[in-house]
């Protein structure tokens, strides 16, 4: 009885593996894809029929599959303009070449034509699944006219791509979907939204893709973005509704532009902190001074040993015009990343983990400093609220 039960269980699992999961798209997206296919094939078929002579096919069957890709998955590398036009046209040429050059049974010629078409598409960077059908079509119809690769195959493909280049952007889908490095895509997004890059590098992603060693039907930049967004969703789930103001440190030890270096260094030492926000008289951030800023400024002092150089930097110069920095404003970092007190804490986790930030000033109304978020604050929040 147990053996029968095991067999049935395995059979059920095997059967479930054959049934694909639902596509996570709503009815609006499905309608968008279907309408795009209608318009694209109408354009390709209508214009081709108008210019093709009588008795010559004006629309090839593989174009139906191409329409699914162009309008259904316009971000796919397999659906890009060169993939569609080159894949279909080159494959049709391969099929015609096999009809001219290969004697033998039709099934053999058909199989070889498809295999050679796949190899050609890989080599020319135009892998397109319907291309295999284009090569097969030439063999099954016994075609020998080389012009068929140009018209209707190439003509149909160009017109379908043209329709996709108009329809997809009008309906909110980028097409062509240019392939750009993940870092460039993330940087472009980060510029406006202050989103940190993912914790993996381009080299990390390339190494994983190399080990995967399969054709991926997702553009590389989209893959990196999806992984980054999944990471952010994970952070939000673990940290719930925490805001920066819930975990930030306050009150904040601050200095002003004209604070003497010795006084600022003393505050860093006394409170055992690594950074001091530099504020104006109404508590708006004008910069930040860190231990690293002091060390960089001390490097220019003409003394041997870091300790001596630092002492020389902190020592006030009695002359009316000093050649070395005397106040915080002369060594501070002016470009400061800040965050709103209402900002979700999860959004700042990648900044600490990926970009090396140790402290982020938190601002409230009218951009005035209200607290500072440190790595210690973040670790404490993760330990208390993470799961």
């Amino acid at each position: 009885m147990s053996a029968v039960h095991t067999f049935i269980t395995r059979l059920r699992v095997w059967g479930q593996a054959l049934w694909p999961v639902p596509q996570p798209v709503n009815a609006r997206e499905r309608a968008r894809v279907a309408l795009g296919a209608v318009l694209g094939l109408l354009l390709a078929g209508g214009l081709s029929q108008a210019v093709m002579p009588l008795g010559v096919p004006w629309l090839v069957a593989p174009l139906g599959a191409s329409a699914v890709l162009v309008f259904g998955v316009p971000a796919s590398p397999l659906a890009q303009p060169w993939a569609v036009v080159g894949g279909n046209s080159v494959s049709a040429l391969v099929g015609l070449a096999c009809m001219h050059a290969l004697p033998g049974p039709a099934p053999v010629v058909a199989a070889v034509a498809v295999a050679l078409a796949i190899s050609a598409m890989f080599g020319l960077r135009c892998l397109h699944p319907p291309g295999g059908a284009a090569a097969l079509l030439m063999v099954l119809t016994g075609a020998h006219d080389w012009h068929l690769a140009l018209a209707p195959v190439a003509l149909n493909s160009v017109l379908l791509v043209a329709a996709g280049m108009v329809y997809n952007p009008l309906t909110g889908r980028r097409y062509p979907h240019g392939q750009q490095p993940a870092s460039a895509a993330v940087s472009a997004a980060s510029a406006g939204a202050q989103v940190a890059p993912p914790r993996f590098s381009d080299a990390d992603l390339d190494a994983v893709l190399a080990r995967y060693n399969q054709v991926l039907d997702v553009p590389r930049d989209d893959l990196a973005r999806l992984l980054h967004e999944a990471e952010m969703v994970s952070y939000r789930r673990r940290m719930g509704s925490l805001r920066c103001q819930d975990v930030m440190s306050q009150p904040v030890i601050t200095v002003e532009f004209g604070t003497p270096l010795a006084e600022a260094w003393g505050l860093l030492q006394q409170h055992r902190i690594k950074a001091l926000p530099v504020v104006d008289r109404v508590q708006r951030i004008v910069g930040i001074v860190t231990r690293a800023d002091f060390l960089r400024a001390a490097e220019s002092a003409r003394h041997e040993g870091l300790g001596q150089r630092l002492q020389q930097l902190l020592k006030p110069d009695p002359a009316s015009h000093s050649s070395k920095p005397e106040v915080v404003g002369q060594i501070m970092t002016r470009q400061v990343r800040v965050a709103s007190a209402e900002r979700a804490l999860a959004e700042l986790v990648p900044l600490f983990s990926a970009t090396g930030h140790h402290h982020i000033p938190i601002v409230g109304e009218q951009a005035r400093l209200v607290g500072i978020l440190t790595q210690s604050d973040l670790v404490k929040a993760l330990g208390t609220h993470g799961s």
Side-chain angles (χ1 to χ4, degrees):
M1 189 70 178
S2 59
V4 174
H5 178 73
T6 300
F7 173 76
I8 294 176
T9 301
R10 291 180 177 177
L11 186 63
R12 183 183 300 113
V13 171
W14 179 78
Q16 290 175 346
L18 298 179
W19 184 247
V21 298
Q23 291 292 335
V25 294
N26 57 26
R28 181 177 179 179
E29 173 63 10
R30 297 179 187 185
R32 187 197 71 82
V33 174
L35 179 60
V38 168
L39 296 177
L41 290 173
L42 277 175
L43 176 69
L47 291 182
S48 296
Q49 187 181 37
V51 300
M52 296 289 289
L54 293 176
V56 178
W58 46 269
L59 192 64
V60 291
L63 209 69
S66 296
V68 175
L69 290 172
V70 170
F71 299 100
V73 283
S76 170
L78 307 179
Q80 299 313 298
W82 170 238
V84 178
V85 177
N88 285 335
S89 304
V90 168
S91 296
L93 286 172
V94 170
L96 288 166
C98 289
M99 285 299 298
H100 283 276
L102 295 180
V108 174
V109 177
V112 171
V114 172
L116 292 177
I118 292 173
S119 299
M121 287 188 287
F122 266 120
L124 295 173
R125 299 184 183 181
C126 58
L127 187 64
H128 185 60
L136 187 61
L137 180 66
M138 298 298 107
V139 176
L140 294 181
T141 58
H144 285 80
D145 186 354
W146 294 98
H147 292 92
L148 291 176
L150 178 62
V153 177
L155 177 60
N156 287 171
S157 302
V158 168
L159 292 173
L160 184 72
V161 163
M165 294 175 69
V166 174
Y167 179 82
N168 281 321
L170 288 177
T171 55
R173 297 294 181 267
R174 180 156 61 99
Y175 187 81
H177 195 104
Q179 306 300 294
Q180 57 181 320
S183 58
V186 173
S187 298
S190 301
Q194 294 187 343
V195 177
R199 290 188 293 177
F200 53 85
S201 67
D202 287 352
D204 296 330
L205 183 57
D206 288 338
V208 172
L209 292 175
R211 287 199 299 269
Y212 184 68
N213 194 31
Q214 296 183 37
V215 175
L216 199 64
D217 198 17
V218 179
R220 186 181 183 281
D221 57 339
D222 274 8
L223 178 61
R225 179 177 56 81
L226 290 172
L227 291 173
H228 179 48
E229 291 183 3
E231 185 181 49
M232 291 303 303
V233 169
S234 174
Y235 286 140
R236 292 191 183 99
R237 174 183 57 79
R238 295 172 59 196
M239 305 188 73
S241 58
L242 284 179
R243 303 291 173 181
C244 292
Q245 63 188 6
D246 299 327
V247 299
M248 67 184 183
S249 297
Q250 56 180 342
V252 188
I253 309 299
T254 64
V255 291
E256 295 184 353
F257 186 98
T259 301
L261 293 181
E263 181 182 337
W265 180 259
L267 289 173
L268 290 174
Q269 296 291 87
Q270 177 185 350
H271 296 281
R272 297 182 179 181
I273 53 180
K274 297 180 179 180
L276 292 167
V278 184
V279 297
D280 59 18
R281 293 183 179 181
V282 293
Q283 293 296 299
R284 291 193 179 94
I285 294 284
V286 296
I288 193 167
V289 63
T290 67
R291 291 176 181 266
D293 292 323
F294 276 92
L295 297 179
R296 278 193 295 269
E299 289 179 356
S300 61
R302 297 178 180 178
H303 291 270
E304 295 183 359
L306 179 60
Q308 291 183 344
R309 293 198 301 268
L310 187 57
Q311 288 179 6
Q312 178 64 21
L313 175 69
L314 299 178
K315 183 179 178 180
D317 193 331
S320 58
H321 298 285
S322 175
S323 60
K324 69 179 184 67
E326 295 287 338
V327 297
V328 164
Q330 293 176 285
I331 69 168
M332 70 180 186
T333 300
R334 298 178 182 274
Q335 299 296 325
V336 186
R337 183 184 291 274
V338 300
S340 167
E342 295 292 332
R343 190 172 180 180
L345 183 62
E347 295 179 6
L348 298 187
V349 174
L351 291 178
F352 287 96
S353 62
T355 63
H357 278 74
H358 298 281
H359 28 254
I360 299 177
I362 306 301
V363 297
E365 295 182 0
Q366 299 181 349
R368 294 180 179 179
L369 182 69
V370 295
I372 191 166
L373 187 66
T374 67
Q375 285 184 330
S376 298
D377 298 325
L378 188 63
V379 170
K380 186 184 299 183
L382 286 171
T384 304
H385 301 276
S387 60

